[in-house]
Amino acid sequence: AQTVTQSQPEMSVQEAETVTLSCTYDTSENNYYLFWYKQPPSRQMILVIRQEAYKQQNATENRFSVNFQKAAKSFSLKISDSQLGDTAMYFCAFMSRMNRDDKIIFGKGTRLHILP
Amino acid sequence: EAQVTQNPRYLITVTGKKLTVTCSQNMNHEYMSWYRQDPGLGLRQIYYSMNVEVTDKGDVPEGYKVSRKEKRNFPLILESPSPNQTSLYFCASSLGLAVTDTQYFGPGTRLTVL
């Protein structure tokens, strides 16, 4: 069974600093997606970034980028020039594409505080 | 074991046939929520509930109903399902909306409407 592990329950950084959230996963499959979701206190789930496993290039969305290490099964999120609005819960998630099963598996989340 | 359960896990139905997806949590949580997950759109909130008999619309409530008669249960009702409601649905719960309240997700329900 696939698992997703976020080893940092909580982190705090100063505004404008760069922060990296770690995520590791376990799967025997070769075809899958990885996601980072941001969840503000409103409990919406906002898709931050998505990575397809067959793509070597790391995904980037403005200040957000990932370091995808497929062999190590690692998928960390880097937030550059952090802003107060980045304060939220961040979930790493895995989705298999095998056997048409689109179930998404979430990590337990990392609570990120951006300090003024 | 603390958990959120959903049933059924997989459902194939036809347009217009009413269905209910159940959600139950055993953690005495006040806050519960339903999301749908679609490719390229991420997770979108359908409805949420702050407590018994208190429900409110999320981002995409059209075509759905919910009820919260008991604290532990938060069923999602599709009165007249349509193919555009084919999706993966997640129920979630948390103690409240405080920053320190961890949200727990159910395993997901794959719904196909033909």
Side-chain angles (χ1 to χ4, degrees), chain A residues 36-112:
Chain A
W36 276 100
Y37 282 94
K38 171 185 177 181
Q39 187 182 53
S42 66
R43 289 290 192 258
Q44 289 176 289
M45 289 290 270
I46 302 165
L47 180 62
V48 174
I49 202 162
R50 176 176 115 153
Q51 175 81 40
E52 294 167 62
Y54 66 86
K55 288 188 177 177
Q56 300 267 354
Q57 188 173 5
N58 288 326
T60 299
E61 286 288 340
N62 301 314
R63 296 183 295 107
F64 298 87
S65 61
V66 296
N67 183 5
F68 175 46
Q69 303 287 330
K70 191 172 182 180
K73 296 179 183 172
S74 170
F75 184 61
S76 60
L77 174 70
K78 185 171 88 171
I79 306 174
S80 303
D81 185 27
S82 58
Q83 301 173 359
L84 296 179
D86 295 333
T87 291
M89 193 75 168
Y90 288 82
F91 290 96
C92 179
F94 169 98
M95 187 170 78
S96 168
R97 294 300 288 169
M98 298 292 288
N99 302 320
R100 300 179 64 81
D101 181 0
D102 294 343
K103 178 182 173 180
I104 190 166
I105 299 165
F106 293 96
K108 291 190 181 303
T110 295
R111 190 166 287 110
L112 177 63

Side-chain angles (χ1 to χ4, degrees), chain A residues 35 37 39 41-47 50 89 91 95 101-104 106 108 111 113, chain B residues 9 31 35 37 40 42-43 45 59 88 90 94 96-97 99-103 105 107 110:
Chain A
F35 306 87
Y37 282 94
Q39 187 182 53
S42 66
R43 289 290 192 258
Q44 289 176 289
M45 289 290 270
I46 302 165
L47 180 62
R50 176 176 115 153
M89 193 75 168
F91 290 96
M95 187 170 78
D101 181 0
D102 294 343
K103 178 182 173 180
I104 190 166
F106 293 96
K108 291 190 181 303
R111 190 166 287 110
H113 302 273
Chain B
R9 297 289 310 281
Y31 185 90
Y35 300 90
Q37 195 249 329
L43 275 172
Q45 192 177 47
D59 299 320
L88 183 58
F90 288 93
S94 62
L97 280 178
V99 171
T100 52
D101 292 335
T102 300
Q103 190 169 27
F105 286 90
R110 164 60 71 186

